[in-house]
Amino acid sequence: MRRNLAIAHRLLAAEGAFSVLLLTGSPVAEIWDMPAALEVQSLPPVVKTGAERYESREPGKLFGMVKGYREALILKLVLRDQPDIFLVDHAPAGMNGELLSTLALIRQELPQTRVVLGLRDILDSPATVRALWAEQSIQALLEEAYDDILVYGSRSLFDVAEGYGLSPAIAARLRYCGHVVAPALGRAAEPCWDVSRAAGRPVVLVTAGGGGDGFALMQAYLCGLPPPGEAAFHSVVVTGPLMPSAERDRLAQLAQARADVELVTYTTNLLPSLKAAALVVSMAGYNTTAELIALRRAAILVPRAAPRAEQLLRARQMAALGLARMVEPDENLTTRLAALIPEVLHAPPAANWARLDLGGAERVAEILAAPTLHGVSVA
């Protein structure tokens, strides 16, 4: 949502140049502050249960039926709108191949539609991506179904063509756009915490995106804090809207009676909080790390190691560039965070920020606007 809203916002900024329909399976789409001109179509949400494995997010619903409905709805909307551009995010074939029929229909019946794939900088370990793409014939799909392939990242961080073994024909169509960073949408320009409670102390912001798998990080952080009254910093923990209520309640118990800790359920505009924080402790997902780079924030990254190695690889590369510190998955998280936080808070700022390109949203809009086109569907 954050990545594609950033692109949609940029496309819609030139009044009358584009109309945009966003197709999303986010279960919390309604909480986002959307651009006024954006049309949004929700798809039945699913939840990832493993590498290439999904289930319906709604209990009792058969995944095959949910996938079938999603596939039919995407087809229906493409036939209705006949878009000038069909921009696909991340998965060339869609979730479990749900886009294959739409891509085939576009090639056969809508040859005027420009089909574009937008890839985040790192998908998984190169070996895993190569094996999976070979199994699913993704390189052949890229050659036959896609006109353009955009990489939402910097070649200096990861070389997609070399890493994934792309053919020369596909590699020639790759265009590195830089990291896509969301603009500060909506009215909220203040951080998500109570500034009076921070009382002038540096703020450590802890975030894990939607929060569905952020409990271990946040529990370890809270358990490693100095005793109440001894911390030289204020802690703000954003649990995320997808964290189960039982886990959120457990974090609330750990933070109870601590004036130096605030729990925030969620914010759809994290940028003001990232900007105001002295240090950010987070997982290593695409959106948060791109925003950390954009704001040049000190950070400790705690990547998930499974089911994909994406976050682990990104965190290691950020650490190698001197842009963040990281905690490896096999380290004692509570002890390591407790030791790293005061160290990073007092460390000199990083100096290598300029090596990464942050103009992704603007460059994507420029590329899509190059021909005289007017309608965009984002799947």
Side-chain angles (χ1 to χ4, degrees):
M1 284 292 287
R2 285 158 73 183
R3 183 164 59 243
N4 285 289
L5 281 177
I7 293 170
H9 180 81
R10 182 59 58 179
L11 291 172
L12 293 167
E15 188 173 347
F18 287 94
S19 61
V20 181
L21 167 64
L22 176 65
L23 311 182
T24 175
S26 170
V28 291
E30 71 281 354
I31 73 174
W32 289 85
D33 189 359
M34 305 285 188
L38 179 66
E39 182 183 354
V40 180
Q41 173 63 60
S42 293
L43 302 173
V46 298
V47 60
K48 184 188 290 288
T49 58
E52 299 303 307
R53 295 199 305 273
Y54 299 85
E55 292 179 359
S56 171
R57 188 170 284 275
E58 298 182 50
K61 287 202 172 183
L62 186 66
F63 170 73
M65 295 290 286
V66 171
K67 178 194 169 188
Y69 181 72
R70 286 169 58 112
E71 185 172 346
L73 184 56
I74 295 168
L75 267 172
K76 174 185 174 182
L77 293 169
V78 167
L79 280 172
R80 182 196 72 181
D81 291 351
Q82 300 188 24
D84 297 295
I85 305 171
F86 187 64
L87 175 61
V88 175
D89 184 77
H90 170 56
M95 185 271 302
N96 268 202
E98 69 180 355
L99 290 181
L100 291 175
S101 55
T102 296
L103 294 171
L105 178 131
I106 289 175
R107 276 292 175 257
Q108 190 70 27
E109 304 293 339
L110 303 172
Q112 79 284 357
T113 295
R114 182 180 172 193
V115 183
V116 182
L117 175 65
L119 292 175
R120 65 173 185 245
D121 58 345
I122 300 171
L123 305 177
D124 205 330
S125 69
T128 299
V129 173
R130 288 184 185 217
L132 183 63
W133 281 15
E135 178 185 329
Q136 298 179 353
S137 301
I138 295 298
Q139 290 218 38
L141 180 67
L142 295 178
E143 290 186 358
E144 184 173 339
Y146 284 92
D147 300 299
D148 299 283
I149 303 168
L150 310 182
V151 179
Y152 302 151
S154 302
R155 192 171 185 175
S156 61
L157 187 65
F158 186 76
D159 188 321
V160 170
E162 180 181 345
Y164 302 151
L166 299 181
S167 70
I170 296 174
R173 305 208 320 264
L174 283 181
R175 306 178 76 170
Y176 289 86
C177 299
H179 287 80
V180 174
V181 181
L185 295 175
R187 301 175 183 175
E190 298 297 323
C192 63
W193 59 82
D194 183 341
V195 176
S196 64
R197 281 184 63 179
R201 290 170 296 172
V203 171
V204 178
L205 177 67
V206 186
T207 175
D213 57 355
F215 175 74
L217 164 60
M218 295 174 185
Q219 181 185 46
Y221 176 85
L222 292 173
C223 288
L225 286 176
E230 295 185 18
F233 51 87
H234 187 68
S235 297
V236 178
V237 179
V238 181
T239 60
L242 300 181
M243 178 174 286
S245 57
E247 293 180 354
R248 191 179 296 115
D249 291 344
R250 174 61 183 147
L251 295 179
Q253 290 173 4
L254 292 173
Q256 192 173 15
R258 291 199 65 133
D260 60 346
V261 176
E262 286 183 64
L263 255 58
V264 178
T265 302
Y266 69 86
T267 173
T268 58
N269 184 10
L270 193 64
L271 286 175
S273 302
L274 293 173
K275 186 176 182 179
L279 169 64
V280 178
V281 178
S282 76
M283 299 177 79
Y286 177 92
N287 297 298
T288 300
T289 51
E291 289 162 358
L292 290 172
I293 293 167
L295 296 170
R296 303 190 174 192
R297 290 295 86 189
I300 299 171
L301 300 178
V302 184
R304 72 167 73 95
R308 300 189 186 279
E310 168 219 348
Q311 290 199 10
L312 184 61
L313 294 174
R314 184 180 293 112
R316 285 175 175 169
Q317 289 173 334
M318 291 275 289
L321 288 172
L323 302 179
R325 301 291 295 273
M326 73 165 291
V327 180
E328 291 281 352
D330 58 351
E331 293 185 276
N332 183 309
L333 184 52
T334 299
T335 303
R336 188 75 176 116
L337 284 176
L340 270 179
I341 288 166
E343 179 183 333
V344 178
L345 274 173
H346 296 100
N352 293 328
W353 299 107
R355 294 185 60 180
L356 300 180
D357 183 353
L358 297 167
E362 293 81 0
R363 201 157 293 115
V364 171
E366 291 170 3
I367 291 170
L368 297 184
T372 307
L373 300 171
H374 302 287
V376 182
S377 288
V378 181

